[in-house]
Amino acid sequence: MRDIKIDSPVESVDIRNSSRSELILGIEGTAWNLSVGIVSEEEVISFAESAYLPKSGGIHPREAAQHHAEKIVDVLREALKKMKEKGFSEEDIRGVAFSIGPGLGQSLRIVATAARSLALKWRVSLIGVNHCIAHIEVGRWMCGTEDPIVLYLSGANSQVLGYMAGRYRIFGETLDIGLGNALDKFARSVGLKHPGGPEIERLAQKSSRYIELPYTVKGMDFAFSGILSAAKKLAEKYPLEDVCYSLQETVFAMCTEVAERALAHTQKDELLLVGGVGMNKRLQKMLKDMCEDRGARFYTPPPEYTKDNGVMIAYTGLLMMRSGCTIPIEKSRVNPDFRPDEVEVKWK
Ligand code: ATP
Ligand code: FE2
């Protein structure tokens, strides 16, 4: 999409000294989930979503964008209706936040267009939110953690981060594909439905037989594609439950090792798990045990805020707006490769 050049009527609203409960509306739609959240500083006011589920294979970028375009009005209406049922009106909305990246370009553009239109219609601030940072901030909000090491494991992204000198620094990350994508690809190759993560978790619970797989940790980075190929081979000769179990044990042990190393190097004593893969109970257990062993605290938000959701965009939008991080319409171009360490964190 071309940059939109119009004289923006949008002005930054300073809500720092206001006593009224002012709301931010956030729209998420980087990949599979189109979602709208509305928050005040104190609570989630409203939440509506529509998931794109591919009929076959994995996410098709064009189909995902088509889904978002078809559903955006319905999802917005539902979120606004729920907000009104709580006694608020559209006039209480003081900013519109949207996921500006990283993500699938076509989907990002649908969401950005909707957000720009709403900001213009309501004459309020527009806030472009980094999707990864939003996972972190909603996790911190929900769990009440101050300064955690963050393990962010989703479909496309796998990183270990921590706040240091004004930014969320990436201490380690995947050298090839995201963990969720690796799980989804393995699941697809053995005929399980998308998304594969929960399917693998379900089957893994039926086994306790470990079959060796490659283990790839390099410093604080990890890699998953070699393990994915090896697991596909194992699935030709071993029961699927055993392969799912072995796959989970291997990749989650790698994530736990990296998270522990980050805690040790930074001397932080909180670990926060976010991103869709973070809903996995076995992963949570391994991380919790590791934290207990070293006297750290483990946190993960409720599942609806671990996976992609509009509330995380709204809440991060609220933090950003309070510190003046709004954008004029003409600078609101989406960034499919936006990395979290590019964001100057002015609200901490
Ligand atoms: P991002 O843009 O941050 O990469 P995303 O679009 O991948 O996000 P998320 O909702 O954060 O979306 O993560 C989706 C991933 O989470 C999918 O790959 C899915 O298989 C995985 N997942 C969901 N539930 C589980 C589970 N119980 N165990 C393991 N993986 C899971
Ligand atoms: Fe995500």
Side-chain angles (χ1 to χ4, degrees), residues 28 30-32 101-104 108 130-136 150-161 170 172-184 222 224 255 273-278 283 306 308 312 335-341:
E28 157 57 31
T30 52
W32 64 276
L104 303 170
L108 290 171
N130 178 289
H131 175 95
C132 318
I133 302 268
H135 272 294
I136 299 174
V150 182
L151 187 57
Y152 165 39
L153 300 172
S154 62
N157 294 290
S158 297
Q159 293 172 333
V160 57
L161 311 102
I170 302 170
E173 64 186 316
T174 179
L175 298 171
D176 44 44
I177 52 176
L179 178 52
N181 283 355
L183 296 174
D184 293 342
F222 26 52
F224 299 113
C255 297
L273 173 65
V274 297
V277 183
L283 171 62
T306 306
D308 289 356
M312 69 186 200
N335 180 356
D337 304 312
F338 197 10
R339 282 171 66 82
D341 54 359

